[in-house]
Amino acid sequence: RISATTLPSDEDPGDANRSLSIFDAAVSISHPCLPDAADTHSNEEARMRLGSDDPYVSSLALLRETIDQIGPLANLCFRAFVDRITLLQATGASDAAELVRRYDAARPRYLLCLVPLARASVAYRLAEEYQDLATLVTLVFTTDSGNAVMQLRRYSERFGRPFADTLFAYYDKRQAWASLLDTQDASFDAWLKEYIDQRMAADPHGPMAQIGWIHDVKMDDFGAAAAKLARAGRDSLDVDQARTMLSLSKLAFHAVECQEGSRDADIDEAHARLEDALEMCQVQENLVQYLTTVVRDSRGHAPELTWRRRDDVSDKKAVLDAAMLTTTPETRHDRPALYIVYNELVRCIWNGRTLSAEDLVDALTFPDSTPAIDSASASCSAEDAEQCNALVRERCSLAVDILSRASIGLPEQTREAALKTIWRRVFLSDDWPAIRKRLGGNVPDSELRAELEQTHLHAVLENCLITRELAHPDWYLLPADAFAADDLDYLVSTRLEPRFASGSEDGSGWKPLSTTTASALQKDYGVEDSRLRAAIDCGLDNYYTEIMRTVSDQMSRCRSPAHPADGAASDMDAGSSSVGTEVLGYDEDEDDEMQMESD
């Protein structure tokens, strides 16, 4: 709230201190003299104290006489400005705009200098006469803050909407959000809503996007409040704040549904994306719970509800431990630059910073050593332990799901690069040379399927196709299409390297790396491509086709439990292409009916 009574020092632009030029002597103006700020009785007492009212006799009288002339001189200056501007605008002179700018800079300087000279009443009258609304608002709060509400109401009735906008801008500039939203007059509510909407249109991610929903709730416009809350939650850099804003948005949507009337398209779109954003917040909270539990158990700490601390020495050590405990020494040795990226992602997660969809994909798919949590010995509840273990088991399929949810606002190149990263690391999570060695020679189909069903690739495909029902082929890639070489320039130069290039830590929490970051990242992505190429040489393409056929068969039986897909099995024998076009290309109407049953 506005509580200071000192004059602001930020009213003048930087070039307002230069002296004003003398106007043409031919300009004819009138010079109405303003009365003194003090009443007649006070003037008589002042003269008695001075002993003489002759400025040529008393220096104090000379000073008082000089101060008395400042008001008329200010009025003379303003009148000269106005007449000159009017003349230039009438003749279409090119320097009229420059003179207006000088006038706007000089006027508040003249008016505000009257306040410490005990001539505030003169400043008020001049500000009212020349309609300097910004200075008028400043005068109200610096000279008569006790009667500010009454004064503001009187001026709003006199000057209307322009004065209200000036008052809102005054609060906005000083970040006095409570004073801005605490409108004492109902006539201000509609004006404030229009002001907030205009500011949000000019700056969609500014402060008005964070607080505008409060005024919408006051005016019972829950639909607009829900949309603002959803946007603010998605833009928030803090996970806790984002979850709070999104939960309030969900509550506001419930209020909309309870009201009569229809929602517009923007509200419907915000409602559709709300659950996706809440799901991403939940994933990050689960990651924090998992990493915290892993580090705590490795140290043998006693159970604590709030063990995580931020920005201290022990916290930095815990981040390093969390990154090391979830990766193998081979990964840290073979891909050191990407390990540093993962370390920074763990630090952001640990400190409660929100991650983008791409960063969340990296945080879920890069770890290759994810110890399960034993609820009997872990320092967390059995429910939390099971939730963390499910997150670990399904982290790659969850990454695909998150990418599909966030794909609406992602560029195509970003989406493709992230999808390749997911499936490339899924393919690399199994030891294909060892599998080929075990399946060498003539192996029965039952043994082949039993071996492939134990792979991580089978688990991911099963979870994506059957459990999460992610559309095929939109969110699936063949091994030959998952190489990083085609997106190397985007992954390194566009996405990762600029985030480490600055010399100081930015708002996202990333720390600077050395100048060799680009070459190191390229080398690490090259290592992933080399391992993927070796896996393909070991028969990964054929194994992928067989696993996809097996999972598709399971999906067909799940969709038609009363009629096992006998014909579907024969269709799958035709090859992997039939899997994508017939088995996975189920009827859209049937899918809608199943979705309704699921809901």
Side-chain angles (χ1 to χ4, degrees):
R1 296 181 181 277
I2 297 292
S3 59
T5 58
T6 58
L7 284 175
S9 60
D10 58 351
E11 298 297 330
D12 298 337
D15 58 348
N17 293 323
R18 60 180 182 179
S19 60
L20 301 176
S21 61
I22 304 299
F23 293 99
D24 296 341
V27 177
S28 176
I29 58 176
S30 59
H31 315 292
C33 296
L34 297 175
D36 192 2
D39 55 80
T40 305
H41 180 69
S42 299
N43 287 340
E44 292 299 331
E45 290 183 352
R47 290 189 178 91
M48 293 298 294
R49 288 195 302 269
L50 291 174
S52 172
D53 60 354
D54 188 354
Y56 294 98
V57 176
S58 171
S59 58
L60 293 179
L62 177 61
L63 177 61
R64 181 183 58 80
E65 186 71 19
T66 304
I67 293 175
D68 289 342
Q69 295 299 321
I70 293 180
L73 287 174
N75 181 67
L76 172 64
C77 177
F78 298 163
R79 178 55 54 190
F81 264 115
V82 171
D83 290 347
R84 184 64 172 172
I85 290 171
T86 303
L87 177 62
L88 293 177
Q89 290 177 342
T91 58
S94 59
D95 54 348
E98 173 65 17
L99 190 58
V100 170
R101 189 195 63 80
R102 292 174 56 193
Y103 175 50
D104 292 339
R107 189 176 59 246
R109 295 173 58 209
Y110 274 84
L111 294 176
L112 293 177
C113 77
L114 293 171
V115 177
L117 299 177
R119 298 298 184 269
S121 59
V122 179
Y124 270 104
R125 285 194 291 272
L126 288 174
E128 294 171 3
E129 179 181 354
Y130 293 96
Q131 297 190 12
D132 189 346
L133 303 182
T135 303
L136 205 56
V137 172
T138 303
L139 290 172
V140 169
F141 287 110
T142 55
T143 63
D144 195 14
S145 58
N147 299 321
V149 175
M150 185 183 303
Q151 287 275 67
L152 294 175
R153 182 178 293 110
R154 182 170 65 87
Y155 284 131
S156 65
E157 294 174 355
R158 178 176 177 180
F159 298 107
R161 172 69 181 276
F163 180 80
D165 287 342
T166 304
L167 177 62
F168 300 151
Y170 181 87
Y171 289 139
D172 192 2
K173 182 178 181 180
R174 288 154 181 80
Q175 299 183 1
W177 312 128
S179 298
L180 173 68
L181 297 172
D182 187 18
T183 54
Q184 301 293 331
D185 197 326
S187 62
F188 276 77
D189 289 340
W191 293 339
L192 179 57
K193 183 173 178 59
E194 293 181 12
Y195 177 82
I196 291 175
D197 292 341
Q198 291 174 359
R199 293 283 289 114
M200 284 190 61
D203 186 6
H205 306 288
M208 290 302 160
Q210 303 289 331
I211 65 171
W213 64 273
I214 302 175
H215 190 67
D216 290 330
V217 171
K218 178 182 178 181
M219 298 187 68
D220 293 336
D221 189 357
F222 295 105
K228 290 185 177 69
L229 281 165
R231 177 185 297 177
R234 291 192 300 269
D235 292 343
S236 177
L237 298 178
D238 184 85
V239 175
D240 294 337
Q241 183 190 29
R243 187 175 183 84
T244 300
M245 303 289 272
L246 294 171
S247 299
L248 288 173
S249 178
K250 191 173 183 178
L251 190 63
F253 274 120
H254 179 69
V256 171
E257 294 171 356
C258 295
Q259 290 179 334
E260 296 182 356
S262 59
R263 303 195 303 263
D264 56 23
D266 294 337
I267 299 299
D268 291 334
E269 181 183 356
H271 195 189
R273 299 176 61 186
L274 177 62
E275 293 297 336
D276 296 341
L278 279 170
E279 177 67 19
M280 292 185 66
C281 290
Q282 184 62 47
V283 170
Q284 289 198 229
E285 291 178 354
N286 292 342
L287 280 173
V288 170
Q289 176 70 24
Y290 173 73
L291 295 174
T292 304
T293 305
V294 168
V295 174
R296 186 190 300 135
D297 292 346
S298 69
R299 296 179 178 182
H301 281 210
E304 293 182 37
L305 294 179
T306 54
W307 181 80
R308 183 165 57 101
R309 292 175 291 180
R310 299 182 179 182
D311 300 329
D312 58 11
V313 176
S314 62
D315 181 71
K316 296 177 181 178
K317 180 64 167 59
V319 169
L320 293 175
D321 290 346
M324 292 187 65
L325 290 170
T326 54
T327 55
T328 60
E330 292 77 14
T331 296
R332 296 193 294 271
H333 178 269
D334 295 340
R335 292 173 286 173
L338 286 176
Y339 172 70
I340 295 177
V341 172
Y342 173 67
N343 199 346
E344 291 300 320
L345 291 174
V346 171
R347 189 168 65 88
C348 290
I349 294 171
W350 196 278
N351 289 336
R353 308 291 289 181
T354 56
L355 298 181
S356 65
E358 283 185 285
D359 293 339
L360 207 50
V361 163
D362 271 339
L364 290 169
T365 59
F366 186 79
D368 59 345
S369 175
T370 49
I373 297 176
D374 185 4
S375 59
S377 59
S379 53
C380 64
S381 65
E383 182 180 357
D384 290 339
E386 176 57 30
Q387 194 174 27
C388 292
N389 290 332
L391 172 68
V392 171
R393 289 193 304 268
E394 303 174 5
R395 64 185 186 279
C396 290
S397 56
L398 179 60
V400 182
D401 195 356
I402 288 175
L403 185 61
S404 67
R405 293 171 182 265
S407 61
I408 298 177
L410 290 179
E412 184 64 22
Q413 185 178 24
T414 301
R415 172 191 173 278
E416 292 182 359
L419 189 62
K420 289 181 181 180
T421 297
I422 296 173
W423 287 109
R424 183 172 61 254
R425 291 173 179 173
V426 169
F427 297 143
L428 297 180
S429 58
D430 292 303
D431 190 353
W432 298 109
I435 293 174
R436 182 185 184 182
K437 184 177 181 180
R438 289 194 296 269
L439 297 178
N442 295 326
V443 178
D445 290 346
S446 58
E447 184 178 345
L448 174 64
R449 289 201 172 191
E451 178 71 26
L452 295 180
E453 284 177 358
Q454 302 301 317
T455 61
H456 185 249
L457 176 59
H458 182 279
V460 173
L461 287 174
E462 183 180 28
N463 194 276
C464 290
L465 284 169
I466 300 177
T467 306
R468 301 183 184 273
E469 298 183 351
L470 298 176
H472 186 280
D474 296 344
W475 302 106
Y476 303 85
L477 290 178
L478 295 173
D481 298 329
F483 288 100
D486 295 337
D487 302 296
L488 204 56
D489 185 66
Y490 166 77
L491 289 171
V492 175
S493 302
T494 304
R495 178 177 172 240
L496 292 178
E497 186 183 11
R499 304 177 68 170
F500 295 107
S502 59
S504 60
E505 185 175 337
D506 60 9
S508 64
W510 292 77
K511 291 182 177 179
L513 290 181
S514 64
T515 56
T516 60
T517 302
S519 59
L521 289 172
Q522 290 177 355
K523 181 179 178 181
D524 286 2
Y525 281 116
V527 170
E528 291 188 352
D529 282 357
S530 298
R531 292 181 57 190
L532 178 59
R533 192 173 294 106
I536 293 175
D537 293 339
C538 291
L540 175 58
D541 287 333
N542 296 329
Y543 295 141
Y544 176 84
T545 301
E546 184 63 29
I547 293 174
M548 178 64 79
R549 183 179 297 144
T550 303
V551 174
S552 300
D553 191 12
Q554 296 176 4
M555 184 179 67
S556 299
R557 291 195 298 268
C558 292
R559 292 186 181 280
S560 302
H563 303 281
D566 298 332
S570 62
D571 289 339
M572 286 184 288
D573 292 337
S576 61
S577 60
S578 64
V579 173
T581 58
E582 297 180 4
V583 178
L584 296 178
Y586 48 86
D587 185 75
E588 186 176 355
D589 295 335
E590 178 185 356
D591 180 65
D592 292 340
E593 294 175 2
M594 295 184 63
Q595 183 63 36
M596 292 175 62
E597 294 176 1
S598 175
D599 294 340

